[in-house]
Amino acid sequence: MPSVEKIIINQKYYGSIELPDLESGRKILASVTRAYASRRPIKVTLVFSPGKLRSLGFYQKGGAWQELQDIELYIELGKLLRFNTDDALKLKNSIELINDMAHSHFNIAKRLTLVNKNSKTSAQQPYLFWDIENFSNIAPMFNDLIDKYSIEDHHIYIAANPDSLYLFKDEWEANLYDYGKTLKSFNFTKCDHGKNVADGVLLENFKQLELRNSDVYVMTFDRELKELFIAACDTSNNLYMMQ
């Protein structure tokens, strides 16, 4: 049975949290509170090793139920202790996406929604802004989107943060090889730490292009980024996102 644990760090009470009756839950709680107490950076790598993070980029038998519970606990701790959990949210969305594909032949094209107008208008060329950290399953991206809509390489913008690139670059390149591509085939940006993060880079790429009369596909789970794309998009474009 789950237990309710009080979060007390350096003699300060932060609140209570429901802890699953699992060994991993207590380990996560201990790792996060130790890092918080010593003011060390708190990242999802406190929950999963680099090897485990790599494996979560593939289908998991049982739908990664245990791992998703661990991520939920980490996110709840983030709310209590007020640390950033964007990396965990991205990982959670990625796991759910990958395992949905494996179970129900998840089709990206069928779930794209026109978000900036009621009906499509004529467009000249398609563009893709791809948050590869969220959508790292290469085959569906090509089969359901890039090939389906004939999006040219120089119209594809990809960005990745340093930590994700370190963990997943070899995997991404290996999967891209099946399509005769590398990351350098596209407009790819390796981001820095700090403000120059992947989401912001993609949005800036989009703004600089000043697109008109184009089909624009934005592949991200980041709600704030979606809103910023919508705000920056000219009404002559057809802007598609996954809802």
Side-chain angles (χ1 to χ4, degrees):
M1 294 288 293
S3 61
V4 176
E5 297 287 334
K6 293 181 178 179
I7 309 299
I8 301 173
I9 303 173
N10 294 336
Q11 299 182 334
K12 180 179 178 180
Y13 174 68
Y14 289 87
S16 299
I17 193 166
E18 188 175 276
L19 199 64
D21 187 20
L22 299 165
E23 183 181 356
S24 60
R26 296 198 173 279
K27 288 181 178 179
I28 292 165
L29 178 60
S31 295
V32 169
T33 53
R34 278 199 302 266
Y36 189 89
S38 60
R39 298 185 178 181
R40 288 187 285 116
I42 301 178
K43 297 184 179 181
V44 77
T45 48
L46 290 173
V47 182
F48 303 115
S49 67
K52 184 63 176 179
L53 285 171
R54 284 192 292 271
S55 72
L56 289 172
F58 301 92
Y59 164 65
Q60 303 288 304
K61 186 176 180 180
W65 173 84
Q66 173 63 66
E67 289 81 359
L68 287 170
Q69 273 212 326
D70 292 343
I71 293 171
E72 287 292 349
L73 174 59
Y74 176 86
I75 291 171
E76 288 303 311
L77 285 168
K79 292 176 183 176
L80 274 181
L81 300 176
R82 298 185 179 182
F83 61 80
N84 188 295
T85 59
D86 286 350
D87 57 348
L89 287 167
K90 286 184 178 182
L91 178 61
K92 176 176 179 271
N93 290 328
S94 176
I95 291 171
E96 290 176 342
L97 177 67
I98 290 166
N99 287 280
D100 279 347
M101 286 176 181
H103 288 298
S104 58
H105 306 289
F106 184 96
N107 187 298
I108 290 173
K110 288 181 180 179
R111 296 188 59 176
L112 285 168
T113 302
L114 182 65
V115 298
N116 69 324
K117 58 183 70 173
N118 292 325
S119 57
K120 174 180 168 61
T121 54
S122 61
Q124 298 174 351
Q125 297 187 69
Y127 287 78
L128 169 62
F129 298 85
W130 181 2
D131 184 348
I132 196 170
E133 296 176 31
N134 283 182
F135 293 85
S136 59
N137 203 312
I138 304 297
M141 287 296 296
F142 273 87
N143 299 336
D144 299 340
L145 189 56
I146 295 172
D147 290 344
K148 183 180 179 70
Y149 297 115
S150 302
I151 306 176
E152 298 180 18
D153 291 355
H154 65 284
H155 285 176
I156 297 174
Y157 291 79
I158 303 174
N161 294 318
D163 293 341
S164 297
L165 195 63
Y166 173 76
L167 290 170
F168 302 117
K169 183 176 185 294
D170 290 345
E171 176 189 323
W172 294 338
E173 294 279 18
N175 291 331
L176 285 168
Y177 181 81
D178 293 337
Y179 295 88
K181 310 289 184 183
T182 69
L183 287 170
K184 292 181 180 179
S185 301
F186 315 108
N187 297 294
F188 171 68
T189 302
K190 175 185 176 182
C191 300
D192 302 322
H193 289 285
K195 293 184 179 180
N196 181 26
V197 296
D199 292 347
V201 168
L202 290 175
L203 180 65
E204 191 59 32
N205 290 153
F206 176 63
K207 289 179 177 179
Q208 289 177 359
L209 287 169
E210 298 183 347
L211 296 178
R212 300 290 186 274
N213 301 306
S214 299
D215 286 332
V216 180
Y217 300 93
V218 179
M219 300 304 295
T220 182
F221 284 118
D222 189 304
R223 185 176 300 175
E224 182 181 358
L225 183 63
K226 288 180 180 182
E227 293 173 354
L228 291 171
F229 262 96
I230 293 171
C233 187
D234 187 84
T235 55
S236 67
N237 297 314
N238 300 306
L239 180 61
Y240 294 91
M241 298 177 180
M242 288 184 64
Q243 297 291 75

